[in-house]
């Protein structure tokens, strides 16, 4: 590593720590995620040229998968079964709204082919980028659109939690709280083994999904009590934040510059739809508004999990709803994207529209 790059990483680390401390001090939730995320966006947009190594990101995803698993138990699954119309209806509504926005962005030629469909899929940010690349979409534009939405959703959810007084408290005190050794080691082992299984089986989003599935089974059966030391969680939050923020490179921003206003408009429309849906969900189920919003918010599963564990909300409900949508997106995303690609390949853009953001590999 060159001295310049080492200096950039040290600067990013310092800026991330300062950002996290400021956000926690003013009462925003998930400062340990948002601080590093915003710092990484600033450094990357200024041409720092940093990128997070894949093993570190995989490890962070595996830890978050175990974090999610620790919030789900037999009672949660019983709740899903007994309230299946609500879970299914909310999942269908958010997926339908996201697909419609992606379809409109494709139809209006804001983004090429199926790229807008992949970029609009909620709840599976990193997985969508990987799968989109495999299906021929422009992974850079999908990453830009996906992570723009994740940043906006994470910020909106944290602000909502702060406004409604749902901030959990002193992050430093929580950070220094001791964790039981044996359960912590067992949980980290589940994270490692689960990530290897996910990668070996080539499961989309496997580094998150496989540890989550293994952890849910072991936790529900009472074999392993999912426990993670706070410093490990803090490092994982920072790595996730860096991964999201460093996706906003100069090249990606230049490529998507013309599309940015309409991508932001679509993102805010989706956030507004989710807010309205959460109010309806809160009224129907009686859960608090923050839990309802986190349950339906169209951010990444990993970032929503981090926010949900930093505020006093109904974590099992939030995680069950998000996990169900995550699986729905993985199951239906390829079909929707293929449909969009076929439709728009049959209808090439009129002359004069060829100056929209394009890149090799786009849909």
């Amino acid at each position: 590593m060159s001295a310049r790059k080492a200096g950039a990483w040290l600067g990013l680390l310092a800026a991330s720590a300062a950002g996290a401390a400021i956000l926690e001090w003013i009462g925003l939730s998930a400062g340990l995620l948002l601080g590093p995320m915003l710092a990484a966006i600033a450094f990357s947009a200024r041409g720092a040229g940093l990128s997070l190594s894949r093993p570190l990101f995989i490890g962070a995803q595996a830890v978050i998968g175990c974090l999610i698993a620790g919030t789900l138990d037999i009672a949660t699954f019983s709740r899903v079964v007994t309230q299946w119309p609500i879970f299914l209806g909310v999942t269908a509504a958010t997926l339908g709204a996201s697909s419609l926005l992606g379809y409109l962005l494709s139809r209006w030629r804001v983004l090429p082919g199926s790229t807008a469909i992949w970029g609009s899929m909620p709840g599976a940010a990193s997985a969508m980028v990987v799968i989109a690349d495999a299906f021929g979409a422009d992974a850079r534009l999908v990453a830009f659109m996906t992570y723009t939405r994740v940043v906006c959703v994470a910020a909106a959810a944290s602000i909502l939690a702060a406004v409604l007084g749902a901030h959990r408290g002193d992050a430093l005190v929580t950070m220094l709280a001791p964790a039981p050794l044996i359960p912590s080691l067992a949980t980290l082992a589940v994270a490692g083994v689960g990530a290897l299984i996910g990668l070996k089986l080539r499961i989309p989003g496997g580094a998150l999904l496989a540890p989550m599935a293994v952890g849910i089974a072991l936790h529900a059966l009472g074999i392993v009590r999912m426990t993670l030391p706070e410093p490990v969680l803090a490092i994982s939050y920072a790595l996730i934040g860096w991964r999201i923020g460093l996706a906003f490179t100069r090249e990606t921003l230049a490529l998507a510059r013309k599309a940015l206003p309409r991508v932001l408009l679509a993102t805010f429309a989706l956030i507004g739809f989710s807010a309205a849906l959460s109010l309806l969900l809160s009224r129907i189920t009686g859960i608090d508004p923050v839990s309802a919003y986190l349950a339906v918010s169209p951010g990444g599963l990993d970032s929503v999990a981090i926010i949900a564990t930093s505020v006093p909300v109904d974590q099992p409900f939030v995680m069950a709803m998000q996990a169900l949508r995550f699986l729905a997106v993985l199951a239906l995303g390829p079909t929707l994207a293929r449909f969009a690609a076929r439709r728009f390949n049959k209808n090439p853009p009129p002359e004069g529209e060829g100056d929209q953001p394009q890149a090799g590999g786009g849909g």
Side-chain angles (χ1 to χ4, degrees), residues 28-48:
L28 279 183
S29 306
L32 296 174
L33 168 72
L34 294 177
M37 183 192 300
L38 295 174
I41 291 173
F43 271 67
S44 188
R46 290 176 62 86

Side-chain angles (χ1 to χ4, degrees), residues 206-292:
L208 172 72
L209 198 58
M212 185 177 77
V214 174
I216 287 172
L218 295 177
H219 184 73
L221 293 173
I223 298 174
V224 177
R225 179 165 60 92
M226 293 287 109
T227 305
L228 289 161
E230 290 296 331
V232 172
L233 285 173
I235 292 171
S236 300
Y237 296 169
L239 292 175
I240 295 291
W242 284 347
R243 168 70 175 192
I244 296 171
L246 292 176
F248 291 84
T249 62
R250 278 182 173 177
E251 294 77 11
T252 302
L253 291 173
L255 193 66
R257 177 171 50 84
K258 291 182 180 179
L260 179 59
R262 281 174 284 186
V263 167
L264 285 175
L265 182 61
T267 297
F268 294 145
L270 191 56
I271 290 174
F273 173 81
S274 298
L277 185 61
S278 69
L279 291 176
L280 178 62
L281 181 62
S282 178
R283 176 162 296 186
I284 292 174
T285 63
I287 67 172
D288 64 278
V290 178
S291 296

Side-chain angles (χ1 to χ4, degrees), residues 97-106 108 110-111 116 119-120 145 148-149 152-153 259-274 298:
S98 300
S99 300
L100 176 61
L101 284 172
Y103 175 83
L104 292 175
L105 288 174
S106 288
W108 295 333
V110 175
L111 294 170
S120 298
M145 190 172 175
T148 296
R149 187 186 68 249
C152 293
V153 169
L260 179 59
R262 281 174 284 186
V263 167
L264 285 175
L265 182 61
T267 297
F268 294 145
L270 191 56
I271 290 174
F273 173 81
S274 298

